[in-house]
Amino acid sequence: MMSTPALRLLLLTLFALTPSAAAAEDGYELWLRYRPVRVTRPTEHLEGADAYSDDPRVVTAALEFKRAVTAIYGGPVPGRELQRDYVALGTPADLKPLGINVDASGLGPEGYLVRTIDGRGHRIVVAGNSGAGILYGTFALIREIQMGHSLDRLNLRSRPTYPLRMLDHWDNLDRTVERGYAGQSLWNWASLPKIDERYTDYARASASVGINGVVINNVNSDPRILSEEYLRKVVALADLFRPWGIRIYLSARFSAPIDLGGLRTADPLDPAVRDWWRAKADEIYRLIPDFGGFVVKANSEGQPGPQEYHRTHAEGANVIADALRPHGGTVFWRAFVYGSSDADRAKQAYEQFKPLDGKFAGNVILQIKNGPIDFQPREPFHPLFGQMPRTRVALEVQLTREYLGQNTGIAYLGPIWTEVLSADTCSPKCGTPVSSTIAAIAGVANVGTDRNWTGTNFDQANWYAFGRLAWNPHLTANEVATEWTRLTWTRDPRAVRTIVPMMMMSREARVNFMTPLGLAHQMATDHHYGPAPWVCDLQQPSWNPCYYHQADAGGIGYDRTATGSNAIAEYMPEVARRFADPKATPEYLLWFHHVPWDYRLNSGLTLWEGLVARYDEGVADAAELARSWASVRPLIDAERWRAVSDDLAREQLEALWWRDASVAYFQSISKRPIPANSPQPAHPLSHYQVLRPPNLPGQRP
Ligand code: BDP
């Protein structure tokens, strides 16, 4: 008869071989999907982790590890108690008494090492200089196990490039989410401080990819978040996030001293205002000793700010920074400003902030969006990167897909982020990528109460990729997509070989059918879903798509060279030279140049022909995405496969809509025939101009 442990192993193996397609899945577990792995040797079976520290983050790590290995290996094997295969978690000092010597120098406060050792009762060690590092190392080990990698000779060493890796929620206190397409806000202010299980799962997922800061409310901030009543609720979240290595930050409204404090001014140089911010900071730190700080959107899109009092952004930021400094807090001051002058919008943030370099307090970080406009499908990098050498700077990206289809289809944003991180600022000299000019990364979150967290299953990849790239900006988008696919869908190589290329083409598909050749901001007014290149009558000029495409009988595109707005002069000369040459950066052609319709592209086509060809390519890309997904059907669980299939069907309709509407509109200006090999738009332009699709992703019916 088979012994009990052997029987157990056999069952484990059989279970591991059961096709995942059989199990119903709704996406809730994200990439922390602890599915059984095939165990071929008893030594591959791990039972848990011993925490040799009472740091709450290490205790959390041990519990998470237990949860993972119990699900993956099926729990303890009876009869094996005496040869427990455990993992040891601790700092070098914690582990020394066990006879385990590890060198954690160079790992900083959050780095980790994970190593297979020859230890009595312990087979693997996870070490770091703090609980945070040990927590991240534990997640790294879990990832190795999930991916089915051998544990025999593990030797991982990693530390984060940036100390601050933040998710910014644009969540309102009424639980709506600005630019959110995944249900309501996670934070239930009516029931807080009562804890919802989702808060923990959110923290687990964020911590697993190294996120260590969370701004829980919208940058268009409701001042009440700083009231005593709300702060008491915030404490509950801060307490819950702490063992996951996550600190809370709040978006503060610049006029809070008036709105909440009853003062007559928010002038940053007024002593009463200074005292108000100090008292508020002291109050918060009494409640939340590790509070991270504030994010402030000031003098931007109608938000109050120091300019109302003829003070600079630096003076505004510094009064708040002074209040936080004794407690070690940080102010993230956003550089997203435009509209106060007639200058090209792409130039305005630089014009306002460049003269302030060196004027910000040491605990202020200037938070700059990846591009100079606003999270478009493709933008060149923001000219402020590399040009604020005496200011700490953060890169801000957007996980939620405000301008990339919202909650339809697929758009893996890894390539947008690696594009900006690796862009060469040439400041102070060439070979200086954006990634080496920044101190922090912030991403506008894409999660909500939808069961799968992010609206579509593939949007989970953007949460994952954000964390991984904020940890290590040198990873490639492809590497991250591969990891995520294996953790989230399946390790079956046939599926991975299909899904990763789908992800890698998904953003470019959207560029092609929405804003090809360097066009930008062609989306419909306000909600930003669907095409509206014809809109030209909005009060704020730079809200009009026509402002960006500048199409006329002569050609199309925004001349940002010396003959136009000269925005290129904001870049370092070597970069400006490249952008000034239309042949050198074809992906930004119409971003920087107004180009005649008959201009010859590198491909030999005229600009008009090439533009239509790009829209056609976008439609073909959307069809290819759907075809590829159809081919993995047998390898994916039915519920999630169906959901993505529906998403991609919708993307195909969108692609056609964008293509036909844009081609019809631009043809009305170029007066050129539709190229012979391209279909005519399905309807006349007037049809698209009045189209008001009901139930847009980001709007309530
Ligand atoms: C734009 C959004 C707007 C945000 C703003 C911001 O359309 O809803 O408030 O950015 O970043 O992308 O402040």
Side-chain angles (χ1 to χ4, degrees), residues 170 178-179 218-220 297 300-301 303 334 336 338 345 369 373-376 396 398 402-403 444 521 526 528:
W170 285 358
E178 178 146 349
R179 312 302 179 186
N218 193 355
V219 285
N220 299 317
K297 171 177 177 177
S300 162
E301 298 186 327
Q303 294 300 309
R334 297 180 81 236
F336 178 67
Y338 66 95
R345 176 169 165 185
K369 290 189 181 183
I373 301 293
D374 192 9
F375 301 137
Q376 296 303 299
E396 177 180 312
Q398 195 182 43
E402 174 180 355
Y403 294 98
V444 182
H521 219 304
D526 204 26
H528 298 156

Side-chain angles (χ1 to χ4, degrees), residues 10 73 102 132 151 282 295 322 355 376 439 470-471 635 656 690 692:
L10 179 71
Y73 299 119
V102 286
L151 308 180
D282 294 348
V295 175
D322 284 348
Q376 296 303 299
W471 181 278
L635 309 172
L656 258 183
V690 296
R692 297 281 178 276

